[in-house]
Amino acid sequence: MGDWGPLGEVLDREGSDRNRANVKDLVAHAKDLLKLVRETFPTYTMHDEQHAENVIGLMGKLAAPRIERMTPLEAALLILAAYFHDTGMAYTEQERNAVGEDEHFQAFLDGDDEAYLATRSNGGVPPLGVLTQYYRSRHADRVWHHLEECDPSWLTWDGNSIIEPLATVSQSHNEPTAHLREERFKKNYRQKADLRFCAILLRLADILDLDRTRSPRVVHSHLGLARHNTPESAISDTEWQKHLAAGGFEFPERPAPNYAVQFVADPTNPGVEHDLRSFLAVIEEELQQCRSVVDLCDDRWRPLPLPAEIDTSAITSHGYKYGEFRFELDRHAVLELFTGEQLYDDPYAFLRELLQNAFDATNARAHLFGHESTGIHVTCWEDAGGYVWVRVDDDGIGMDEDALRKYFLRIGRSYYRSAEFEADSARRGRKDRSFGAISRFGIGVLSCFMVGDRVELSSRRQAAEGAKILPIRLSINRRDDYFVLQEQDRPTRRGTSLPSRNGPEEAFRRRPGTSIAVRIDPNRAMVDLPTAIARVESYVFAPPVPVFVNGERVALETTRLVTEPLLPATETRRFKIADLKQDRGDFIPGLREKEIAVVAIPLD
């Protein structure tokens, strides 16, 4: 058992030959399973016996300061979890062929828009990239599947089954760290093992296994990942390059509380070094979270010093000087760029942008949910302080916090051009119904700051049947780096009232749609109410839904062009070319005909 380092030595103290033999038999079984992982994940870094041995070695280093307090059962669970935690990535050929019939796979597609679209566009057959995503997402849950296939007599300690504690510890590495606080992680299991501490050691050792032993260069060359022939190979190559450059972690001989571990690496590319340093930041965050959970462990383990930070001084850049040498955007400069005269030469253009957003939102709700809009309302007024306000209200699809983060606050990103919207349309059977967005929402809202200093927003997203979505309230001040978001997470939450022509209104909308109010900055632009009202009318031409300005409907004449065409459908009229001559040149250059026929054809 000494091959497993300090943990093996602890296991050797176990007096029962049967218990030790069970561990040995289970490890042999897990090794065979791990050999199948490469068939399912041919381009992944190694998740084989080498990874398990690395994890066991790191567990020993982490527990070293109090290893004498470890029980043989704890050592057994840690060794077995090191081997079994990734066995869920092993699929037989029969299991891979039947994945489309798996209810869990359908749930995976429902929650991943890009995977759903890729599978749908491939005739319902999931592409390899989608399958590997799914296999990866399910691998922790499948530990139970592989444990249940083992000889039950192996999964015993002192004659009692250990399948449940082993599965609990093995699966935990893929759960949020906060889940380790749950009662199922018993700190005094059968008076012989702290399952919470075992779970902490597994997740830390797993994430700390970052070195080149998991990525043999000959295998990387054989796979041809550097050619980036597919998106999947490009992603895998990034992971391989990180491991190829990594020398692993060095632990101090006498760890003090909150000690640092030193990371050794010799990257030859700044992109690889950036990826390494970014991942080290993730590891540091995990270290911090796990150290807080140790306080809930058994008295034997609470005093154990764990690493708190990573010393990166041993990362050596070869052939370049490392630094953040890349394009970065200054928020204030970008705001000036998007709201200055370089992009918009009309101070009232923000009205056009807000109207486009409102039209897209109402069209999207009609497209996805069949809703018939009652109209878009524009109001303009001057408040008691002398400020001019412009507000646009629609009854469109609306937003929740997720949409706000992913699209509203991301410049240039549009929900209507996203995989999420395409998947939402497909799931609702809208494949044959076209949808053409006319705006890019992020830039449209930025245009408000060409003339405004405050934007107040209230929105409620249209929810699918049975779903509950919280309305949101957002306040944006031009001079602030951070915005104020409020969410009606309980009925009594009132939120900050929304400005309106008739005084303050409720903060949160009761029906789906979005309300945006812009306060005009008198120091930046001269915007007067009569001109603003007139501009709305000039921007709207034959709108798809009614538009009202201060309660009066506009664009009625242009709307009649659609509802009352100049020519009856399919009627043909003939005109003499001589009557169509322009002041300069021919009506159609090179046309030799004496007459031209005009036919009215109805279009959608």
Side-chain angles (χ1 to χ4, degrees), residues 288-518:
Q288 296 288 343
Q289 293 183 30
C290 284
R291 284 170 59 247
S292 68
V293 181
V294 170
D295 292 337
L296 303 177
C297 290
D298 186 74
D299 292 344
R300 293 176 297 125
W301 296 117
R302 279 204 294 270
L304 175 72
L306 286 177
E309 59 182 350
I310 298 172
D311 176 6
T312 60
S313 62
I315 299 178
T316 305
S317 309
H318 289 278
Y320 63 91
K321 178 179 175 60
Y322 181 73
E324 296 291 323
F325 302 117
R326 58 179 180 172
F327 290 114
E328 294 192 14
L329 301 178
D330 179 89
R331 190 186 72 83
H332 294 285
V334 170
L335 195 58
E336 291 297 329
L337 173 66
F338 278 113
T339 61
E341 294 182 355
Q342 299 95 327
L343 188 62
Y344 297 101
D345 56 3
D346 178 2
Y348 295 91
F350 77 98
L351 274 169
R352 181 187 65 225
E353 299 296 326
L354 292 181
L355 286 166
Q356 288 177 347
N357 296 338
F359 285 134
D360 283 343
T362 54
N363 289 342
R365 189 177 176 193
H367 176 73
L368 293 176
F369 297 95
H371 175 73
E372 185 174 345
S373 174
T374 59
I376 295 169
H377 294 262
V378 181
T379 50
C380 308
W381 74 96
E382 184 176 317
D383 67 13
Y387 286 98
V388 173
W389 287 82
V390 177
R391 174 170 154 174
V392 177
D393 294 77
D394 66 62
D395 58 351
I397 195 167
M399 291 183 292
D400 56 5
E401 182 181 344
D402 184 59
L404 185 84
R405 291 180 182 277
K406 290 196 295 188
Y407 305 110
F408 186 85
L409 297 178
R410 297 283 296 275
I411 299 172
R413 288 200 67 184
S414 170
Y415 166 62
Y416 312 115
R417 296 176 175 84
S418 69
E420 181 179 354
F421 181 75
E422 187 179 349
D424 288 344
S425 298
R427 290 184 180 117
R428 293 186 169 275
R430 301 297 193 266
K431 179 180 178 181
D432 298 327
R433 293 184 58 184
S434 60
F435 183 89
I438 58 176
S439 68
R440 286 192 175 275
F441 201 58
I443 295 178
V445 170
L446 277 180
S447 69
C448 295
F449 292 104
M450 179 171 61
V451 296
D453 62 354
R454 273 178 56 190
V455 171
E456 303 290 342
L457 176 145
S458 180
S459 190
R460 178 187 285 267
R461 189 172 180 84
Q462 170 71 61
E465 186 176 352
K468 181 181 179 181
I469 298 180
L470 300 176
I472 58 172
R473 173 77 171 85
L474 182 72
S475 296
I476 304 176
N477 193 313
R478 181 186 177 93
R479 67 175 181 271
D480 294 337
D481 289 327
Y482 294 92
F483 312 142
V484 178
L485 174 66
Q486 297 170 305
E487 195 173 52
Q488 194 178 26
D489 53 357
R490 57 178 182 268
T492 57
R493 186 180 294 280
R494 293 183 174 275
T496 305
S497 58
L498 190 69
S500 81
R501 187 185 182 198
N502 300 317
E505 288 185 355
E506 291 183 18
F508 301 107
R509 291 180 59 109
R510 298 188 179 186
R511 294 182 176 84
T514 300
S515 303
I516 299 182
V518 182

Side-chain angles (χ1 to χ4, degrees), residues 260-289:
V261 288
Q262 186 175 71
F263 181 68
V264 180
D266 54 354
T268 58
N269 180 284
V272 172
E273 182 168 344
H274 173 76
D275 290 340
L276 279 171
R277 290 181 180 272
S278 298
F279 188 61
L280 293 178
V282 173
I283 295 176
E284 278 196 331
E285 177 66 23
E286 184 65 41
L287 292 173
Q288 296 288 343
Q289 293 183 30

Side-chain angles (χ1 to χ4, degrees), residues 20-273:
R20 285 185 277 113
N22 286 345
V23 173
K24 186 176 181 180
D25 289 337
L26 286 168
V27 166
H29 180 72
K31 286 181 180 180
D32 290 338
L33 285 172
L34 291 174
K35 293 174 183 176
L36 299 176
V37 173
R38 179 142 299 281
E39 297 180 17
T40 309
F41 298 88
T43 62
Y44 274 37
T45 52
M46 301 301 190
H47 290 75
D48 57 2
E49 178 183 349
Q50 181 63 62
H51 173 50
E53 297 288 347
N54 291 353
V55 168
I56 291 171
L58 287 163
M59 287 174 172
K61 292 179 180 179
L62 290 165
R66 294 180 71 84
I67 194 72
E68 74 281 357
R69 302 296 183 95
M70 184 176 289
T71 68
L73 179 54
E74 286 174 329
L77 289 172
L78 288 170
I79 291 169
L80 292 174
Y83 278 97
F84 274 95
H85 76 283
D86 278 340
T87 55
M89 298 172 70
Y91 281 75
T92 64
E93 183 178 358
Q94 292 80 3
E95 288 174 327
R96 293 196 297 271
N97 291 337
V99 70
E101 304 167 10
D102 186 348
E103 62 176 336
H104 296 291
F105 180 65
Q106 297 306 318
F108 166 75
L109 291 183
D110 289 341
D112 191 309
D113 297 324
E114 292 186 358
Y116 169 79
L117 292 173
T119 301
R120 190 170 184 270
S121 63
N122 200 38
V125 179
L128 178 60
V130 171
L131 289 176
T132 53
Q133 279 180 264
Y134 169 67
Y135 296 146
R136 180 79 186 198
S137 70
R138 284 275 298 154
H139 84 279
D141 295 331
R142 278 172 46 84
V143 171
W144 263 105
H145 167 74
H146 288 299
L147 286 176
E148 288 175 336
E149 289 188 336
C150 295
D151 186 328
S153 66
W154 298 346
L155 285 160
T156 61
W157 189 268
D158 293 339
N160 299 307
S161 174
I162 59 169
I163 185 172
E164 185 170 345
L166 177 55
T168 298
V169 172
S170 298
Q171 290 176 309
S172 67
H173 80 287
N174 206 41
E175 299 179 46
T177 313
H179 286 194
L180 301 189
R181 298 174 179 270
E182 297 175 1
E183 290 185 5
R184 58 195 169 99
F185 292 95
K186 298 176 175 62
K187 65 179 182 180
N188 204 8
Y189 174 73
R190 292 176 50 198
Q191 308 299 315
K192 294 181 179 179
D194 185 337
L195 302 186
R196 182 174 288 118
F197 178 70
C198 291
I200 291 172
L201 277 198
L202 173 62
R203 67 189 302 115
L204 287 182
D206 186 45
I207 200 171
L208 286 169
D209 185 19
L210 179 62
D211 64 26
R212 57 182 64 94
T213 62
R214 293 184 60 191
S215 54
R217 192 171 295 277
V218 65
V219 177
H220 176 262
S221 177
H222 172 73
L223 293 173
L225 298 176
R227 292 193 291 270
H228 295 186
N229 293 330
T230 65
E232 293 77 28
S233 67
I235 294 172
S236 293
D237 186 45
T238 299
E239 286 300 309
W240 278 78
Q241 293 295 345
K242 281 196 310 186
H243 283 80
L244 286 167
F249 292 90
E250 299 289 345
F251 285 71
E253 289 187 13
R254 294 180 177 81
N258 303 323
Y259 64 91
V261 288
Q262 186 175 71
F263 181 68
V264 180
D266 54 354
T268 58
N269 180 284
V272 172
E273 182 168 344

